[in-house]
Amino acid sequence: MSRLTRPLLLTLALHPAARLPAQTLSGETPRPWAANIVVPQCRSFGTTHPDALHIAGVDVQVSIVEQVATTTMDIRLTNPTSRRLEAELLVPVPDGAAVRGFAFDGAASQPTAQLLPADEARRTYEAIVAQIKDPALLEFVGCNLVRSSVFPVEAGGAQRVRLTYEHLLSADGDRMDYVLPRSEALGQVTPWNVSVQIKSARPISTVYSPSHPVDTRRSGDGAVTVNLQKTAATEPGSFRLSCLKGGSGVSASLMAYPDAKGDGGYFLLLAGLPEKPANADAKPMKREVTLVIDRSGSMSGEKIEQVKEAAKQIVGALDEGESFNIYIYNDGVQAFSPAAVAKSSGTVKLASGFIEAVTANGGTNIHDALLQALSQPATPDTVPLVLFMTDGLPTVGNTSEMAIRNVAMQSNPHQRRIFTFGVGYDVNAPLLQKISDETRAASTFVLPDEDVEVKVAGVFKRLQGPVLTGAQLTTTTADNAKTVAVMDLIPDKLPDLFEGDQLVLLGRYLHADAGLRFTLNGAFMGQPRTFAFTFPLEKATTRNAFIPRLWASRRIA
């Protein structure tokens, strides 16, 4: 920001282990509200005239070092009127936050910002609501509040305002949670750009947002960058991020929401794997990859060319000792080989020629394509993966949705994991999703304006190095006896976990005063392994209201 003026009068030096107390500037006397109050998490409010200021966008940069988070908000305002407007900023912030800086463009009085504790913040919210008759601010009751000095927004002009605050993240064992308060109102249309950089001396097992879709990029064992996806720029609700630090095996943490009747509640179990196994001699299991490519007439043109390029990239990216096969289908089904072949320079060259010769024509025989791909002989000591692509509904052969689903569930003797790709709008999305869920895999959908090659290659890149396969989760008592303490799990069948992967499990818990004890069994790095986790429930809180909402939305879906 090129012309932001003068630093805030209040500065605070922090030590990562220090407790961050609430701060209030002394000497402040009550003053009337400005004509416009800007609450970037919600909207702008006109105290003397109808709303005039427009919040054009909010850019948020977050730096998390160990357990201390520094949040910098750049708020872009526009004034469409022909008169100069005075405004001030109200920003709900987490408990324990401390203001580090406040500035805005242009010459004006010395910028200041006052941090109000939760009780005073509540009175402030109620006073504004009483004046403007709008209850929108009351959803932030419980947060602390930053109130800025008055600043100008010139007629027909724009103003940029920057606020920086720090706070100590709440932590539960190896998990720490970051929350950026925002409105839950669906009418909020201001675009937000959120980027979070996390640095830790310990390896980071997984990073997960239960509130918004994010893109995650690792630059080391203890360094992760998380960006809010552009498609979610206007999605409402507080932005939440949980970071789980790991060790040599599976790390796990649990968040819970108590039921109002006291008969249990809802939980979110977050588990992750190390980016790389601590044991250098341990090797992930080999993969057997089967590509099943739709070459019906609707795939003609750019789509089939993108799919062919993705197929060649996948075959070429396999590790030595891994195996592959290719099936192409339209009215009928044609295989590259009767069974999967080991990757070598010779088989890669032959596969490239087979792929290059593919043309698009005919109908869509999904049933037979699935049946043949799943019936081929298995490659010993591998994790069998199927990448199944289609751009339409079944039109040839057995077109029954139930029959196609039963192929995946009942005619899959080698327990192949079926990763489905729906290309375009004319696909049976629930069917593809069900096939993936039932086979420990995932589904991906490619919109008409998206690149099929990029989407397919991106999914395959995440399937590097199977680490935990065939996972089974049970709940037990303290003496390891099985018990039914949880129900309505989502997903009900656990997926395989790959290098740097994560497991997100939602469910309901029943009477569990002694806490929840989970036992996770599976093949870890190809060897049978059992992990046990015990989670006390005294930290279950209604502040985790996002958990039952997330569970319900997944359940409905």
Side-chain angles (χ1 to χ4, degrees), residues 12 24 27 71 105 169 204 211-212 258 272 292 303 305 328 362 384 411 413 451 479 502 517 533 538:
L12 180 65
T24 303
T71 301
D105 280 340
L169 297 185
I204 296 173
S211 61
H212 293 78
V292 185
K303 281 195 290 188
E305 294 304 318
I328 57 175
S411 301
D451 192 311
D479 56 358
Q502 64 184 16
R517 178 181 172 87
F533 307 100
E538 64 264 16

Side-chain angles (χ1 to χ4, degrees), residues 272-529:
L273 300 169
E275 177 69 5
K276 294 181 179 179
N279 183 0
D281 296 329
K283 301 295 182 184
M285 296 183 66
K286 300 294 184 181
R287 297 166 296 179
E288 175 208 79
V289 177
T290 300
L291 294 166
V292 185
I293 300 172
D294 183 349
R295 68 179 192 100
S296 59
S298 56
M299 285 287 292
S300 61
E302 186 177 11
K303 281 195 290 188
I304 194 65
E305 294 304 318
Q306 290 177 350
V307 168
K308 287 162 61 174
E309 189 60 36
K312 287 188 284 187
Q313 286 187 28
I314 289 171
V315 171
L318 290 170
D319 294 332
E320 292 298 325
E322 295 186 318
S323 56
F324 69 93
N325 202 357
I326 306 166
Y327 287 82
I328 57 175
Y329 71 98
N330 51 10
D331 298 324
V333 185
Q334 183 179 352
F336 169 68
S337 171
V341 297
K343 179 192 175 182
S344 67
S345 58
T347 56
V348 169
K349 183 177 180 180
L350 289 173
S352 180
F354 178 80
I355 294 168
E356 197 58 45
V358 172
T359 58
N361 56 73
T364 308
N365 193 340
I366 292 179
H367 179 276
D368 288 359
L370 262 181
L371 184 62
Q372 291 194 34
L374 299 180
S375 300
Q376 66 175 318
T379 304
D381 301 321
T382 62
V383 178
L385 310 176
V386 173
L387 275 60
F388 185 92
M389 290 168 251
T390 182
D391 80 330
L393 302 173
T395 60
V396 178
N398 192 334
T399 60
S400 164
E401 177 177 333
M402 182 173 293
I404 294 171
R405 186 175 60 193
N406 286 342
V407 168
M409 298 171 62
Q410 300 175 10
S411 301
N412 188 3
H414 306 297
Q415 300 300 303
R416 287 186 163 90
R417 284 68 163 163
I418 307 173
F419 291 83
T420 57
F421 296 84
V423 182
Y425 295 128
D426 298 326
V427 296
N428 188 330
L431 174 61
L432 298 182
Q433 182 95 45
K434 185 68 173 179
I435 289 173
S436 293
D437 289 346
E438 290 294 333
T439 59
R440 303 179 185 272
S443 54
T444 301
F445 298 97
V446 187
L447 299 179
D449 59 344
E450 294 182 308
D451 192 311
V452 183
E453 176 188 344
V454 172
K455 275 292 189 75
V456 175
V459 171
F460 181 73
K461 185 178 180 180
R462 296 200 302 270
L463 301 181
Q464 181 68 36
V467 176
L468 181 67
T469 59
Q472 299 285 342
L473 188 74
T474 57
T475 54
T476 62
T477 61
D479 56 358
N480 290 325
K482 289 186 179 181
T483 182
V484 183
V486 301
M487 60 188 303
D488 297 332
L489 296 180
I490 304 174
D492 56 358
K493 185 174 291 185
L494 300 187
D496 295 327
L497 299 182
F498 296 79
E499 286 183 2
D501 215 342
Q502 64 184 16
L503 169 66
V504 178
L505 183 69
L506 291 156
R508 295 171 54 203
Y509 65 89
L510 307 178
H511 304 280
D513 295 336
L516 296 175
R517 178 181 172 87
F518 293 96
T519 299
L520 181 65
N521 296 288
F524 184 79
M525 307 298 288
Q527 300 297 321
R529 184 96 177 260

